[in-house]
Amino acid sequence: MKGSISNYSDAIKIIKSAILKSRYRAAALANKELLSLYFGIGKYISENSRDGFWGTGAIEEISKRLQQELPGLRGFSAGNIKKMRIFYEQWYEYIENRSPITNGLKIVTKKEKEIRSLSTNDLKLFPFGFLNIGFTHHWEIIAKVKSFEERLFYIERCATEFWNVETLRYYLKSKLFLKQGKVQNNFKKTIPDNDLQQKALLSFKDEYLLDYINIESPDNEPDERILESEIVNNIKKFIMSLGKDFSFIGNQYRLIIEEQEYFLDLLFFNRRLQSLVAIELKSGVFKPEYMGKMNFYLSALDDLVRLPYENPSIGIILCKSRKERIVEYAFRDTTKPMGVATYKTAKKLPSKYKNILPDTEKLKELL
C-alpha cells in the first residue's frame, strides 16, 4: 500500500539532515586541505624567494604560468601567493614537530625542496579551530593582530561562534580581545569564588553584534518587544553571539510571586558557569532603575527556579547605550551578580537605496 506524501515527512527530515551534515563535513575537510596546501606553498615560496634563490618578479611569473598550466585556476594570483608566504612566515615558528608526510604534490628544485602538508599533529599549541576557519579569516587576523594570544582568541571565536568575515572585521575593529573581562559588572564583589569569578568575566562581552537584526522605527529605536521577537526568531544566531556554553530556556519567562506575574525577557543557562542567566532588553540608554528590577528577578530565580547544585543566577542588562559613571554608581550597593552590556544591530539601508528594493509585503507577494 502506497503511503501519502505526509507520511514521509520524518524520512525526508532524516535524509535532509544527513545530507547537510555530509556537506558540512566535506566542506570542513576541503578547508583543512586548502589551508594545509597554502601553508606548504607559503613555506616553499618563502624559502626560495627570501634568500635570493629566485630573481625579482618570480612570484608574478609563477602565478602567470600556473594560469596557463591550469586554466580557470582561482586563488593563485601573485597577491594571494604572497599572502600564503606571509601565512607561513607568521606561524611557522610556533609549529612544532612538523610532519615529513607530503600531500601528494611534490615539486623538486635544485635545492631538493618540496611542498609539504600541514597536519593536525603540527598544531599542538593551537586551538582546534585553526584548521576550521577559512583562509580569508586567517588573513584578516594576521594583517590586523600581532599578539600570538590575541590571534588564537579570534581564531577560536571564529570557529566556535561561526563568525563570517564581516563579523570578524567588526570585532577586530572594536578590539573585542582587549574588552574581554572589562564588561561593566559587579562580579568581583558578588562572586566570592575566584575561579567562578574569572569564568563569569570571560563569559560576557562588552558589546554584542546583532547584525542579523535590522529594525526600522520612527524614532530609530526599536520597541523592546520587537527586538525580543527578532532575537527569538534568530535564537541560534543570538546564542552564537553569546557564546557556545549558553542554552536557551525561554522568553517572557513567567515568575509568580505573591499571586502576581512577572516576566523575564530572556532566560538562558550557562554550562560552564552552571548558572541561570537572565537577560533584560532595553531599547535606549541604561537607567539606574533597571538594576533594582534585575536584582529582584535574580532573587526570585535563586529561590524559585535554581536547582540546589547550581551557582547563583547572573543578570545581564542589554542596552542600546550606557553612561559608564551612571552604571558604576548603580552597581554600588547591589548584592546579585549583574553586568551591563550594549548591542549593535545591522546598519540601516542608506536612504538613497530605500526605494530601489520592494518592501516586505511586496516581497511576500512576489514569493
Side-chain angles (χ1 to χ4, degrees):
M1 179 178 178
K2 294 183 178 179
S4 66
I5 292 177
S6 61
N7 291 337
Y8 303 136
S9 59
D10 288 342
I12 292 169
K13 287 180 182 178
I14 292 171
I15 294 171
K16 177 184 174 182
S17 176
I19 291 171
L20 293 176
K21 287 179 180 178
S22 177
R23 286 180 177 175
Y24 174 79
R25 288 194 297 267
L29 289 172
N31 184 69
K32 290 177 182 178
E33 182 62 28
L34 197 62
L35 282 178
S36 176
L37 175 65
Y38 286 174
F39 186 87
I41 290 175
K43 178 178 187 293
Y44 178 76
I45 296 294
S46 177
E47 291 178 345
N48 283 280
S49 63
R50 294 299 193 192
D51 60 7
F53 181 66
W54 292 341
T56 57
I59 293 176
E60 286 74 11
E61 181 62 24
I62 288 171
S63 174
K64 180 181 176 181
R65 291 284 297 274
L66 281 172
Q67 297 296 330
Q68 294 171 353
E69 297 285 337
L70 299 169
L73 179 67
R74 294 184 179 183
F76 287 86
S77 64
N80 278 348
I81 292 175
K82 289 176 182 177
K83 287 180 180 179
M84 295 174 203
R85 179 173 64 180
I86 294 172
F87 177 55
Y88 162 75
E89 291 173 347
Q90 291 294 312
W91 288 116
Y92 82 96
E93 64 179 292
Y94 301 107
I95 295 176
E96 300 176 337
N97 303 319
R98 288 188 284 278
S99 171
I101 301 173
T102 67
N103 60 1
L105 176 62
K106 185 175 183 181
I107 301 177
V108 180
T109 70
K110 292 179 181 179
K111 289 189 174 184
E112 293 296 320
K113 294 179 179 178
E114 61 186 15
I115 292 178
R116 302 180 185 276
S117 286
L118 176 65
S119 76
T120 52
N121 291 329
D122 299 331
L123 301 172
K124 292 183 178 180
L125 293 177
F126 293 76
F128 81 94
F130 190 89
L131 293 176
N132 291 72
I133 66 173
F135 185 69
T136 305
H137 288 77
H138 274 291
W139 177 251
E140 288 290 329
I141 293 169
I142 287 173
K144 296 172 183 175
V145 178
K146 302 304 178 186
S147 159
F148 176 74
E149 182 183 2
E150 189 173 349
R151 284 180 179 177
L152 295 190
F153 167 82
Y154 286 111
I155 288 171
E156 188 168 16
R157 284 301 180 93
C158 285
T160 58
E161 299 180 20
F162 304 99
W163 290 354
N164 59 31
V165 175
E166 287 304 314
T167 301
L168 170 61
R169 286 172 180 160
Y170 170 81
Y171 282 129
L172 286 169
K173 186 176 180 180
S174 64
K175 301 186 184 301
L176 176 64
F177 176 78
L178 299 178
K179 294 179 179 178
Q180 291 304 291
K182 293 186 178 179
V183 58
Q184 280 197 280
N185 60 74
N186 62 358
F187 296 161
K188 290 185 178 180
K189 183 175 71 173
T190 58
I191 303 178
D193 182 272
N194 288 333
D195 182 55
L196 182 61
Q197 184 185 113
Q198 288 303 311
K199 287 179 181 178
L201 287 169
L202 295 174
S203 293
F204 301 101
K205 301 173 186 174
D206 183 67
E207 182 178 71
Y208 291 88
L209 177 61
L210 311 182
D211 56 345
Y212 44 85
I213 294 177
N214 194 347
I215 305 171
E216 290 190 44
S217 62
D219 58 357
N220 293 324
E221 294 293 352
D223 179 85
E224 288 158 8
R225 286 296 179 89
I226 295 175
L227 180 62
E228 177 189 325
S229 177
E230 286 294 307
I231 287 174
V232 172
N233 290 337
N234 294 275
I235 193 62
K236 185 180 290 187
K237 292 180 179 178
F238 186 68
I239 289 174
M240 289 178 186
S241 301
L242 292 175
K244 61 182 179 179
D245 295 311
F246 287 85
S247 299
F248 182 51
I249 295 177
N251 66 303
Q252 289 303 301
Y253 189 86
R254 187 174 68 161
L255 296 168
I256 301 178
I257 304 165
E258 294 290 345
E259 299 182 359
Q260 292 189 48
E261 291 182 318
Y262 298 89
F263 296 90
L264 276 167
D265 288 344
L266 300 167
L267 184 61
F268 293 84
F269 185 78
N270 186 287
R271 293 177 59 204
R272 180 175 296 184
L273 298 174
Q274 285 293 294
S275 297
L276 292 166
V277 177
I279 296 180
E280 280 291 285
L281 303 170
K282 302 300 177 184
S283 60
V285 67
F286 170 83
K287 297 178 181 179
E289 52 263 37
Y290 297 158
M291 207 70 81
K293 189 176 181 181
M294 177 60 81
N295 201 79
F296 170 77
Y297 283 152
L298 294 178
S299 294
L301 283 174
D302 285 342
D303 282 354
L304 305 175
V305 182
R306 179 170 67 104
L307 297 176
Y309 57 84
E310 292 174 353
N311 291 313
S313 305
I314 295 174
I316 297 295
I317 300 168
L318 197 55
C319 305
K320 185 67 176 178
S321 62
R322 70 183 180 210
K323 301 290 185 181
E324 293 192 4
R325 184 61 63 86
I326 293 175
V327 176
E328 180 185 335
Y329 287 157
F331 272 134
R332 283 282 174 93
D333 299 312
T334 54
T335 59
K336 297 291 184 181
M338 289 182 278
V340 177
T342 58
Y343 65 86
K344 184 180 180 68
T345 55
K347 292 181 180 178
K348 293 183 175 62
L349 193 66
S351 56
K352 65 179 180 179
Y353 295 125
K354 286 186 178 179
N355 295 326
I356 296 176
L357 298 176
D359 60 23
T360 305
E361 294 304 317
K362 185 64 176 177
L363 281 172
K364 288 179 180 178
E365 291 177 16
L366 292 172
L367 290 171

